[in-house]
Amino acid sequence: NAGVTQTPKFRILKIGQSMTLQCTQDMNHNYMYWYRQDPGMGLKLIYYSVGAGITDKGEVPNGYNVSRSTTEDFPLRLELAAPSQTSVYFCASVGTGTYEQYFGPGTRLTVT
Amino acid sequence: KQEVTQIPAALSVPEGENLVLNCSFTDSAIYNLQWFRQDPGKGLTSLLLIQSSQREQTSGRLNASLDKSSGRSTLYIAASQPGDSATYLCAVIGGNYGQNFVFGPGTRLSVLP
């Protein structure tokens, strides 16, 4: 199993550009999550999904969108990038029944 | 709303010491509690998962305990090594379906050789 994979690893965006952060898991987990982590800060939940076709907002959803068309994939879309979205983005999935969370390696995004 | 705190925020110890990291949460209605390690510039690595029915879990030199009634968990690291230097985060798992993860801010540990 590859676990949770994220692409790209790094990205620099100009203000106003858009992009999609990809997240894929091969563990057949229903629950998936997107977090952002600012320097020296904790994790903040952006969006989560409890299964294909079901998504819900977390603590900081503004400026982001998600979709969950398959169990494996949970992409995060940034529209009209702003400097405040400069952060490290982590995707995670949760084991069914165990509720143990597995993280991807992260995407480091800079908006200038 | 569940709130999670971790004390201390940072800790520096000489190699070989035993140490305890603390995690407190405000709502005792939880499914599980999970401890993670994060190295600088890296993702989170799961260390231990304690289910709500358990009191503790052990893995090698790590031992985590859970006291739901008092809203506390501790991570005990025995015979610390420089390689243990990292940030340690706890996450409390709750919600109607176990879908809510609330993270503490972390404890930054430095083990000096």
Side-chain angles (χ1 to χ4, degrees), chain A residues 40-78:
Chain A
M41 304 292 285
L43 290 159
K44 293 184 179 178
L45 180 64
I46 306 172
Y47 271 95
Y48 69 97
S49 168
V50 297
I54 307 170
T55 62
D56 208 348
K57 296 177 181 178
E59 183 183 357
V60 289
N62 291 345
Y64 307 94
N65 273 303
V66 293
S67 59
R68 185 93 182 274
S69 57
T70 66
T71 299
E72 295 78 20
D73 300 308
F74 190 39
L76 177 71
R77 177 85 177 158
L78 278 72

Side-chain angles (χ1 to χ4, degrees), chain A residues 15-107:
Chain A
I15 294 171
Q17 287 185 323
S18 300
M19 76 165 294
T20 299
L21 282 67
Q22 302 291 346
C23 175
T24 299
Q25 52 90 11
D26 61 358
M27 298 173 281
N28 201 34
H29 290 167
N30 286 324
Y31 294 177
M32 295 187 74
Y33 300 77
W34 275 106
Y35 297 92
R36 61 177 286 172
Q37 186 178 39
D38 298 325
M41 304 292 285
L43 290 159
K44 293 184 179 178
L45 180 64
I46 306 172
Y47 271 95
Y48 69 97
S49 168
V50 297
I54 307 170
T55 62
D56 208 348
K57 296 177 181 178
E59 183 183 357
V60 289
N62 291 345
Y64 307 94
N65 273 303
V66 293
S67 59
R68 185 93 182 274
S69 57
T70 66
T71 299
E72 295 78 20
D73 300 308
F74 190 39
L76 177 71
R77 177 85 177 158
L78 278 72
E79 304 282 3
L80 297 175
S84 61
Q85 293 178 305
T86 293
S87 189
V88 181
Y89 291 84
F90 291 104
C91 178
S93 70
V94 170
T96 304
T98 67
Y99 304 108
E100 184 170 9
Q101 199 164 47
Y102 299 85
F103 277 78
T107 294

Side-chain angles (χ1 to χ4, degrees), chain B residues 8-57:
Chain B
L11 181 63
S12 184
V13 300
E15 182 177 5
E17 271 202 10
N18 302 325
L19 56 101
V20 175
L21 308 181
N22 297 292
C23 171
S24 297
F25 48 96
T26 55
D27 185 352
S28 61
I30 66 171
Y31 276 75
N32 299 330
L33 186 143
Q34 193 170 359
W35 282 94
F36 295 87
R37 168 188 174 135
Q38 186 175 28
D39 294 291
K42 303 291 186 183
L44 278 72
T45 301
S46 178
L47 296 174
L48 289 165
L49 174 75
I50 311 176
Q51 299 189 5
S52 61
S53 58
Q54 297 175 318
R55 299 278 301 178
E56 63 180 89
Q57 278 283 358

